[in-house]
Amino acid sequence: MKKRTLAAAGLAMIMAVSLAGCSTTVSVPDTVKVENVGDSSDGKITMDSSETVKIVPDMAKIVFAVRSEAKAADECQQKNTESLNSLTEYLKGQGIDEKSITTSGYYLNPRYDWSSNTRKLIGYEMQTEVTVSDVAVDQVGTLLSNGVGNGANEIYSVSYYSSGYDDAYAEALKKAVDLARTKAEALAEASGRTLGYVVSIEEYSDSQYGRYVDGGVNLKKESAVMEAAGAKDTAADMNVMPGEMEVSANIKIVFSMGD
């Protein structure tokens, strides 16, 4: 017995030294599992359960596009910068925090005329995307309408989300557990047993896919109409209706059964 103890201690020391010389990476598992160790000889009931909570979005994210054309590359870039600055200043003037405004998707491309079977350079085009986050829903209609009149040429997308998503997800989890318990109690009673304690709960990975919902309109066409008509005249026509969004939770729970 003493030799075995010394061997085990030596092995532990070797592993400790080996691990000390290595860098380790901590990975977050796809599932979170909580176990309560009990008598494994007891019967068990395993339930898959899911619940959904509906909430009304109160925030939005808008992606604008600023597109410019000119004969010379430097002139095209200058026009795009002026339009971009105009849009940014408008957004700030509407109370949008500078940290919520992100520019991306830059490109500058030549434009050619191929009508005479030859390639003739006729100018350049440049585009910049502007993403505006943390927009209150009641402000979306105004920004969509007037953003086009203040530098933007197109609106790529509008997505809605709720600042209460995490609370709604926690509520969905609780409902999923309650539903699983109700079903398990019925099954245990039907089999002449009683429902015991929770052996384990497994939460399926929350992919966050449902955190955002699409606005669901063709905003490129809308932006062209607004630009042609004049943004100030169309501001009242942009009626924003985000509707409801669904927050779902999925779990697997194992109960013990008593006599």
Side-chain angles (χ1 to χ4, degrees):
M1 180 63 71
K2 187 174 180 180
K3 290 183 178 180
R4 291 183 180 179
T5 303
L6 291 174
L11 178 59
M13 292 179 63
I14 293 172
M15 292 177 65
V17 172
S18 299
L19 290 174
C22 302
S23 61
T24 58
T25 302
V26 179
S27 59
V28 179
D30 291 335
T31 60
V32 178
K33 194 170 185 178
V34 181
E35 291 191 354
N36 192 1
V37 179
D39 185 358
S40 60
S41 63
D42 289 344
K44 295 181 177 66
I45 297 179
T46 301
M47 303 293 299
D48 288 318
S49 180
S50 63
E51 274 287 4
T52 299
V53 174
K54 292 184 178 182
I55 53 176
V56 177
D58 59 349
M59 304 295 289
K61 179 173 68 176
I62 306 172
V63 181
F64 292 99
V66 177
R67 180 171 45 81
S68 305
E69 294 181 0
K71 290 185 177 181
D74 57 349
E75 181 185 357
C76 184
Q77 186 175 21
Q78 179 64 28
K79 288 177 64 176
N80 192 268
T81 300
E82 291 174 356
S83 296
L84 180 61
N85 291 340
S86 176
L87 176 61
T88 302
E89 290 304 313
Y90 166 73
L91 294 172
K92 291 179 181 178
Q94 295 299 306
I96 303 299
D97 193 302
E98 187 173 353
K99 295 179 181 179
S100 298
I101 304 172
T102 306
T103 55
S104 61
Y106 302 95
Y107 75 75
L108 175 65
N109 291 330
R111 298 172 58 242
Y112 297 100
D113 180 8
W114 298 86
S115 59
S116 58
N117 294 326
T118 58
R119 188 179 72 170
K120 179 181 179 182
L121 179 66
I122 59 175
Y124 293 85
E125 62 177 0
M126 183 174 183
Q127 181 168 296
T128 306
E129 294 179 15
V130 180
T131 301
V132 189
S133 306
D134 303 323
V135 179
V137 165
D138 58 4
Q139 197 177 9
V140 173
T142 300
L143 296 185
L144 290 180
S145 299
N146 295 333
V148 174
N150 286 277
N153 305 98
E154 295 181 350
I155 305 169
Y156 273 179
S157 67
V158 177
S159 54
Y160 299 103
Y161 60 98
S162 173
S163 58
Y165 178 91
D166 292 327
D167 291 337
Y169 182 71
E171 182 182 353
L173 279 174
K174 292 176 182 178
K175 288 187 173 184
V177 172
D178 291 342
L179 177 62
R181 185 182 297 277
T182 299
K183 291 182 178 180
E185 286 175 346
L187 289 172
E189 182 180 354
S191 61
R193 305 284 292 274
T194 59
L195 192 67
Y197 55 83
V198 174
V199 177
S200 66
I201 300 178
E202 188 174 347
E203 175 202 7
Y204 293 113
S205 178
D206 179 16
S207 65
Q208 304 291 309
Y209 176 78
R211 188 175 285 270
Y212 295 91
V213 292
D214 191 1
V217 294
N218 191 329
L219 294 165
K220 289 188 178 182
K221 291 185 177 180
E222 291 289 348
S223 65
V225 172
M226 288 188 293
E227 187 176 18
K232 292 183 180 179
D233 297 333
T234 61
D237 296 334
M238 291 300 294
N239 187 19
V240 175
M241 299 178 66
E244 289 184 323
M245 60 185 297
E246 296 184 345
V247 181
S248 298
N250 302 280
I251 65 167
K252 175 182 288 186
I253 183 168
V254 179
F255 295 96
S256 66
M257 286 199 301
D259 296 331

